[in-house]
């Protein structure tokens, strides 16, 4: 299956059946209103046809911001600074990765203070494949986009970093720096007033033509802004990954899933429980129950993937320094995503393995009922090939490459101790091991099935060879003495009836 934008980012996409339902409802409504004098409307129809009743709620205004350093109220802003995309790299492919880095340098403009300028920088990459330490990303390359004019309008630079994931895997982080032009468009979306609308609502078993059974779904102005933000950010991610794939091998893409991402925003809008503020944060997909780190002046929102191909997404909203002499919130703004890099990659690899297990189970359940050993062995080879990288990773991942030191800084309003971040990062190793147990059971099942089929076929072969031997003996005796053989044949037949049949 080839990944497309509509298959990956389908959170607000309408199916063909839904589109037919919208058309049939619009036609039905038009005809009913036109012939209202002949066939009067019921009270329910009158209420349902009044779309103005459902579209009066506009999107929330952007709240005022507050400048901690100047101690005054200012115009609020929400600005996207970085998008980090994560992929995994088997260490045996490092030589290919270095060639791709050189190709990236030749096709783009290297930044003035970027790495990858000397033989020592390449040796640094080679060393990552020789030992396993790792709780920090190593910057490998920073370049400016030069050829893609569309990308240049939204993204200025790309920075590539590596970090150990497990004994034989690395995490590749592609950090994209967002331009002022894109943030101007984002600011327009945040400030524009959107009006709500209604759409057809129908149960899963209601056909598209059963218009009398339809209901109406209500979408507020905040929901409209959510859709606009989702479309804007998703389209940017899609174009970025297209550009990356022109040079680099993206393994998650080969696994039929979009890479996990981490978005880092800066804002001067302060946390508040006021209704207007909460509605605005909802309108830009900020989770009300986010993890908050006061020492970093930052919140982290967990937004799990919607479909099978979208990939996991996290976002951080950073408020900047509290005072002029402050430095920790500014450092956290730049490095906060590094805390989650290993988790996002490991979690997505686990998702790929679980998805592949489900696919393999369908093949296994079908072939187990097959009487041929060759078919079982063939499926076993296919399963091992499909689960190769996933099984290799989960066999060696222990969670030690995750940096838990910063987790104590985060808190959550629903938990007395800990946060969503700490619970997810601490449980990922356990979840990976549970996936390993599933794969071990699958492989054991295939081994047992192959052994059983092989034993069954060996028994049949032994019986067949015994019968051939008996008849060979009869033919040999016939060639020696006909009369004696006849009586001997009768004795053999009686023996077979008594002891075998």
């Amino acid at each position: 299956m080839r990944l497309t934008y509509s298959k990956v980012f389908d959170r607000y996409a309408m199916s063909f059946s839904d589109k037919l339902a919208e058309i049939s409802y619009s036609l039905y409504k038009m005809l009913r209103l036109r012939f209202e004098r002949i066939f009067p409307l019921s009270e329910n129809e009158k209420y349902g046809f009044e779309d103005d009743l459902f579209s009066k709620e506009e999107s929330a205004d952007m709240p005022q911001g507050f400048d901690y350093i100047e101690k005054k109220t200012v115009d609020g802003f929400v600005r996207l600074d970085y998008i980090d995309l994560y992929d995994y790299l088997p260490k045996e492919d490092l030589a290919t990765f270095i060639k791709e880095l050189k190709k990236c340098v030749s096709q783009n403009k290297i930044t003035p203070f970027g790495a990858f300028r000397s033989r020592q920088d390449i040796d640094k990459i080679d060393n990552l494949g020789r030992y396993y330490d790792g709780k920090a990303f190593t910057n490998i390359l920073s370049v400016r986009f030069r050829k893609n004019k569309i990308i240049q309008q939204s993204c200025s630079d790309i920075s590539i970093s590596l970090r150990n994931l497990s004994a034989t895997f690395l995490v590749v982080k592609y950090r994209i720096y967002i331009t002022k032009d894109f943030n101007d468009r984002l600011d327009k979306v945040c400030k524009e007033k959107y009006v709500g609308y209604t759409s057809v609502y129908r149960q899963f078993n209601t056909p598209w033509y059963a218009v009398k059974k339809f209901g109406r779904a209500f979408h507020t102005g905040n929901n409209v802004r959510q859709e606009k933000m989702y479309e804007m950010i998703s389209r940017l991610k899609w174009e970025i990954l297209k550009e990356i794939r022109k040079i680099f091998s993206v393994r998650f893409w080969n696994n039929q899933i979009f890479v996990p991402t981490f978005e880092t925003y800066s804002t001067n809008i302060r946390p508040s429980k006021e209704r207007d503020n909460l509605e605005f944060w909802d309108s830009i997909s900020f989770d009300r129950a986010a993890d908050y780190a006061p020492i970093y002046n930052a919140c982290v929102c967990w937004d799990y993937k919607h479909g099978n191909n979208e990939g996991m997404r996290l976002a951080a909203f950073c408020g900047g320094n509290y005072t002029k002499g402050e430095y920790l919130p500014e450092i956290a703004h730049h490095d906060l995503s590094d805390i989650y890099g290993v988790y996002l990659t490991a979690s997505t690899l686990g998702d790929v393995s679980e998805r592949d297990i489900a696919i393999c189970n369908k093949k296994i359940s079908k072939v187990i009922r097959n009487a041929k050993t060759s078919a079982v062995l063939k499926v076993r080879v296919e399963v091992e090939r499909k689960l190769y990288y996933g099984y290799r990773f989960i066999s060696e991942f222990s969670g030690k490459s995750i940096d838990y030191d910063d987790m104590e800084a985060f808190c959550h309003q629903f938990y007395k101790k800990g946060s969503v971040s700490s619970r997810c990062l601490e449980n990922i190793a356990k979840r990976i091991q549970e996936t390993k147990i599933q794969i071990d059971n699958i492989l054991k099942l295939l081994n047992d099935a192959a052994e059983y089929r092989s034993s069954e076929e060996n028994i049949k072969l032994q019986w067949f060879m015994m019968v051939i031997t008996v008849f060979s003996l009869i033919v040999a005796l016939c060639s020696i003495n006909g009369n004696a053989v006849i009586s001997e044949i009768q004795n053999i037949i009686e023996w077979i009836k008594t002891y075998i049949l």
Side-chain angles (χ1 to χ4, degrees), residues 26-37:
S26 298
L27 181 61
Y28 169 76
K29 178 182 176 180
M30 181 188 68
L31 294 174
R32 287 293 289 126
L33 292 176
R34 178 169 294 182
F35 296 101
E36 179 181 1
R37 293 182 180 180

Side-chain angles (χ1 to χ4, degrees), residues 126-383:
D126 291 331
N127 288 336
L128 285 170
R130 296 194 184 106
Y131 62 85
Y132 173 76
D133 60 346
K135 290 186 179 181
F137 278 96
T138 300
N139 182 256
I140 302 299
L141 174 67
S142 296
V143 296
R144 290 177 180 171
F145 292 110
R146 189 173 65 178
K147 291 190 174 183
N148 193 322
K149 299 297 183 182
I150 298 176
I151 288 291
Q152 285 179 296
Q153 294 176 1
S154 303
C155 313
S156 57
D157 303 349
I158 177 173
S159 176
I160 303 171
S161 304
L162 293 177
R163 176 177 175 175
N164 272 294
L165 176 63
S166 64
T168 62
F169 286 93
L170 297 170
V171 179
V172 185
K173 181 182 76 171
Y174 302 96
R175 166 161 284 191
I176 309 300
Y177 294 81
I178 308 303
T179 63
K180 181 180 182 300
D181 180 71
F182 180 86
N183 277 301
D184 288 342
R185 286 179 275 139
L186 184 67
D187 185 68
K188 184 178 179 181
V189 172
C190 291
K191 292 181 178 179
E192 187 170 340
K193 298 293 290 184
Y194 294 97
V195 179
Y197 68 96
T198 60
S199 61
V200 166
Y201 176 81
R202 60 195 179 103
Q203 297 180 352
F204 67 92
N205 58 346
T206 302
W208 61 269
Y209 50 82
V211 291
K212 291 186 178 181
K213 296 182 180 180
F214 291 171
R216 301 300 288 167
F218 174 43
H219 305 269
T220 67
N222 292 332
N223 298 139
V224 177
R225 181 180 286 157
Q226 283 180 353
E227 294 180 28
K228 296 290 184 181
M229 288 277 291
Y230 179 80
E231 169 68 21
M232 191 175 182
I233 301 297
S234 300
R235 181 60 66 178
L236 176 61
K237 291 179 182 178
W238 180 259
E239 295 299 329
I240 289 170
L241 192 61
K242 276 177 58 179
E243 188 68 17
I244 291 174
R245 288 183 58 246
K246 291 179 182 178
I247 301 174
F248 296 94
S249 301
V250 181
R251 284 152 186 84
F252 278 133
W253 182 274
N254 298 334
N255 295 136
Q256 300 297 308
I257 191 170
F258 198 83
V259 295
T261 59
F262 192 102
E263 303 162 19
T264 303
Y265 296 83
S266 57
T267 181
N268 62 355
I269 303 172
R270 304 309 169 194
S272 173
K273 293 184 179 181
E274 294 182 9
R275 184 174 182 273
D276 291 341
N277 283 24
L278 294 177
E279 288 183 352
F280 171 77
W281 290 121
D282 285 342
S283 73
I284 61 172
S285 299
F286 180 93
D287 187 5
R288 294 187 183 185
D291 289 338
Y292 179 53
I295 192 174
Y296 301 141
N297 194 16
C299 292
V300 174
C301 299
W302 290 76
D303 182 17
Y304 291 93
K305 64 180 183 178
H306 177 262
N308 295 326
N309 307 115
E310 184 171 347
M312 195 173 178
R313 169 190 175 267
L314 293 181
F317 291 81
C318 303
N321 294 336
Y322 291 109
T323 62
K324 289 184 178 180
E326 196 80 25
Y327 63 90
L328 195 55
E330 190 172 358
I331 294 175
H333 176 221
H334 186 271
D335 296 337
L336 196 60
S337 63
D338 291 356
I339 301 173
Y340 301 89
V342 171
Y343 170 80
L344 286 168
T345 309
S347 180
T348 306
L349 267 168
D351 291 340
V352 171
S353 299
E354 291 172 2
R355 182 202 63 191
D356 291 344
I357 288 172
I359 295 172
C360 292
N361 278 336
K362 293 181 180 179
K363 293 183 178 180
I364 293 169
S365 61
K366 183 178 180 180
V367 79
I368 287 297
R369 296 188 292 270
N370 196 317
K372 295 182 179 180
T373 305
S374 59
V376 177
L377 294 176
K378 182 180 178 180
V379 169
R380 178 184 171 183
V381 172
E382 292 178 1
V383 169

